[in-house]
Amino acid sequence: MQIFLARNNVQAGPYNLEQLNIMLASGEVVLDDLMWHEGLEQWQRVGTLTNNQTVYTPAPVNGAEVNDSIINNVTIFPEDNASGNQTDKPVSLDRLYGKPERKDTANNTKVDMTTNRHHTPHHNVSLNKTPLNKAATNQDKVVGDVVLAPIMSRVLATAINGLLYLLAIFPLVMALTKMDVDYSKFQNIQDMDAAYQYSMTLMESLPSSTLMMSQIMVFGLFALQLVFIALRGQSLGKLITGIRVVDQTTHRLPSFTKLIGMRTLLLFIIYNLLFSFTSFLGFVVVAVHYYMASKSPENIGWHDKLAKTLVVKADSSQLTKKPTLK
């Protein structure tokens, strides 16, 4: 079954039933959009055909004759068609969106809302302004309207964040290298109080200017990371690598609780404890997370599962709120 959709007098498609239901679930297609497929006599509101549900289960049809005048009030540009017959020269998609027309539009794009359904485009046209196929490659995993971030991009983002942290504490590290530090005191996880007391002793031995500089740099980096994560769903590492955290259900920016509480602060505490007292175990936990993600169809690791989030290739549409179903 080939399904065509329309919004604001612009047609998109064809899609199959599975693609339609994925777009309905993610909110890319809303109930007030129009839909047509073979067997329907005219374009109908999506919500009317789905009984206002976000899943479409079409009834068996024997194939009805299609009325070529099923769409009314379609924008016509008289200067493009001296004869006044709209079917002689379909209006381009660029023209309908008010953009400058490309020279090859007439050859590559069929957008007339009554004639387009007789042609099969080379690519599906998304109802969003930024088509998904521009961001995806043959090697990418696609879930609904988002492209999953490659595992190596996520690893690189983590490495960049780690490097930034090391740069922030660089003055502190340089000062500690000049001291006789007993690192064995940090390895005994059963005696955390002794490790804490020893670390405080070391801090008191450092020059106050070095300690203050390190604190300013660490807290400044942490504050900057929180701002980018809260506003864009991206740490600095993810921003550099072009990936973002989104909600598993809406594929939009997650709630503040998920993004900052579950995925940032909780993970910061867990990893800080692991790396502070048992650095080897910390690397193991990170490795387990990315191993799980590499084996998951949706690249979901253990803390993705905990926060109910996905890591995807960044797209500006993910920063907008999910369309409200009327």
Side-chain angles (χ1 to χ4, degrees):
M1 171 184 292
Q2 290 191 332
I3 300 172
F4 293 87
L5 301 168
R7 180 188 299 171
N8 297 330
N9 293 331
V10 178
Q11 180 178 309
Y15 302 99
N16 59 38
L17 182 59
E18 181 182 4
Q19 290 172 320
L20 171 65
N21 284 327
I22 289 174
M23 292 188 292
L24 278 169
S26 68
E28 182 180 1
V29 173
V30 298
L31 299 184
D32 281 337
D33 290 335
L34 298 177
M35 178 166 66
W36 178 89
H37 58 75
E38 188 175 0
L40 297 179
E41 294 185 356
Q42 60 183 1
W43 289 77
Q44 296 189 39
R45 179 178 172 271
V46 172
T48 302
L49 294 171
T50 66
N51 292 321
N52 290 322
Q53 303 298 312
T54 55
V55 61
Y56 181 46
T57 306
V61 293
N62 295 323
E65 192 173 309
V66 179
N67 181 0
D68 279 338
S69 61
I70 57 180
I71 295 183
N72 299 317
N73 301 322
V74 176
T75 302
I76 302 175
F77 299 91
E79 65 272 23
D80 286 344
N81 196 338
S83 67
N85 183 356
Q86 187 187 0
T87 59
D88 288 345
K89 183 179 180 181
V91 180
S92 72
L93 186 61
D94 289 332
R95 190 65 180 274
L96 286 172
Y97 274 126
K99 300 177 181 178
E101 288 192 88
R102 294 164 291 183
K103 293 181 179 180
D104 60 346
T105 298
N107 295 328
N108 295 336
T109 308
K110 304 292 186 181
V111 299
D112 176 74
M113 298 185 69
T114 58
T115 60
N116 186 37
R117 64 171 179 268
H118 299 303
H119 301 273
T120 302
H122 293 292
H123 301 284
N124 289 342
V125 180
S126 171
L127 291 178
N128 287 337
K129 289 185 178 180
T130 52
L132 180 63
N133 55 23
K134 287 187 178 180
T137 64
N138 293 334
Q139 290 75 33
D140 286 327
K141 294 181 181 179
V142 178
V143 176
D145 59 344
V146 295
V147 181
L148 297 180
I151 299 298
M152 289 310 299
S153 294
R154 297 175 60 176
V155 173
L156 180 59
T158 300
I160 291 173
N161 287 330
L163 179 60
L164 291 173
Y165 179 74
L166 288 177
L167 290 175
I169 64 172
F170 184 74
L172 181 62
V173 172
M174 291 302 295
L176 288 173
T177 57
K178 299 177 182 179
M179 301 174 61
D180 186 17
V181 180
D182 184 4
Y183 292 100
S184 64
K185 292 185 179 295
F186 296 103
Q187 302 301 320
N188 188 1
I189 196 171
Q190 295 180 347
D191 196 1
M192 296 179 62
D193 185 61
Y196 174 76
Q197 293 298 330
Y198 182 65
S199 65
M200 293 304 297
T201 302
L202 291 175
M203 294 300 105
E204 292 172 358
S205 303
L206 292 172
S208 58
S209 59
T210 300
L211 191 58
M212 181 176 293
M213 182 183 298
S214 293
Q215 289 175 338
I216 292 174
M217 292 178 67
V218 169
F219 284 112
L221 174 63
F222 189 65
L224 191 61
Q225 292 276 36
L226 283 180
V227 168
F228 274 95
I229 291 171
L231 297 180
R232 300 182 59 85
Q234 295 172 298
S235 63
L236 293 176
K238 286 184 172 63
L239 181 66
I240 293 171
T241 54
I243 61 179
R244 171 180 288 124
V245 175
V246 298
D247 187 275
Q248 284 185 14
T249 303
T250 64
H251 294 174
R252 301 295 194 274
L253 207 61
S255 66
F256 185 86
T257 302
K258 283 185 179 181
L259 201 55
I260 300 299
M262 297 296 294
R263 192 176 173 97
T264 303
L265 297 181
L266 180 60
L267 291 180
F268 178 79
I269 293 171
I270 291 174
Y271 284 125
N272 190 59
L273 289 174
L274 290 172
F275 281 103
S276 295
F277 297 101
T278 54
S279 57
F280 175 77
L281 182 59
F283 283 110
V284 169
V285 172
V286 173
V288 168
H289 167 69
Y290 286 120
Y291 177 78
M292 289 178 60
S294 67
K295 296 299 181 182
S296 166
E298 296 183 342
N299 290 1
I300 294 177
W302 67 266
H303 62 70
D304 299 314
K305 190 182 294 289
L306 182 67
K308 293 182 169 52
T309 55
L310 294 174
V311 182
V312 302
K313 286 189 175 182
D315 186 276
S316 59
S317 64
Q318 296 151 2
L319 299 176
T320 61
K321 292 183 179 179
K322 182 179 178 181
T324 302
L325 300 181
K326 299 180 181 180

